[in-house]
Amino acid sequence: MQAMTRPTSNPVRVVRFDARPLLAEGTEPLSQILETSNALVDGEQLEVIAPFEPVPLYDVMRTRGFRVGACMLDQQTGAWSTPFTRVDITAAHTVGEVLSRHPATRASLARHGLDTCCGANLSLAQASESQGVALDTLLAELTTDAVR
């Protein structure tokens, strides 16, 4: 099994996926990376280790609701480490929770007239209903903002 949980000092779970052995044997790791990522929840992170910067994976993971972190090269091993953080914005999240966890959503919240001050304790479902905003559209837009 290529995936393993790496202990961290913070409460965020980080799952490490080392693609190097699969690539060395000529196996495409994408399906296993995606399968591993399916088990992650909001805020959890998948760290992909590869012998090259996995640029083609960036858009794939963004479309699946992941924010791409800074890719780093280990000068000693030549391995690239790329963190992908799950962004799961749901109707049950409050406006305040979304804004706090994903500051890049501020413009979309404002554009739709969602109150980030006194109304920040409303769920996205409640806030979208009160403003006449389609909830599915709002959730998609906020997730897109958050993964950029």
Side-chain angles (χ1 to χ4, degrees), residues 55-71:
V55 174
L57 190 55
Y58 293 176
D59 285 338
V60 171
M61 295 301 281
R62 281 187 187 106
T63 62
R64 296 173 60 86
F66 284 83
R67 180 176 38 247
V68 180
C71 195

Side-chain angles (χ1 to χ4, degrees), residues 81-136:
S81 171
T82 308
F84 298 94
T85 305
R86 166 73 78 188
V87 174
D88 189 18
I89 298 175
T90 69
H93 284 105
T94 67
V95 172
E97 288 171 332
V98 171
L99 185 57
S100 173
R101 290 190 81 153
H102 312 291
T105 61
R106 180 177 296 281
S108 290
L109 292 168
R111 184 173 41 261
H112 292 294
L114 282 93
D115 184 356
T116 59
C117 179
C118 300
N121 62 340
L122 293 176
S123 71
L124 290 175
Q126 294 168 321
S128 67
E129 183 178 339
S130 73
Q131 292 299 314
V133 176
L135 181 60
D136 289 346

Side-chain angles (χ1 to χ4, degrees), residues 14-68:
V14 177
V15 176
R16 186 174 193 217
F17 187 96
D18 190 341
R20 293 174 296 179
L22 291 171
L23 291 165
E25 67 184 32
T27 302
E28 169 58 51
L30 180 60
S31 63
Q32 292 180 33
I33 290 170
L34 297 180
E35 184 178 318
T36 302
S37 73
N38 287 339
L40 301 179
V41 298
D42 189 35
E44 293 184 335
Q45 192 175 87
L46 174 64
E47 178 186 13
V48 175
I49 310 298
F52 54 85
E53 183 178 7
V55 174
L57 190 55
Y58 293 176
D59 285 338
V60 171
M61 295 301 281
R62 281 187 187 106
T63 62
R64 296 173 60 86
F66 284 83
R67 180 176 38 247
V68 180

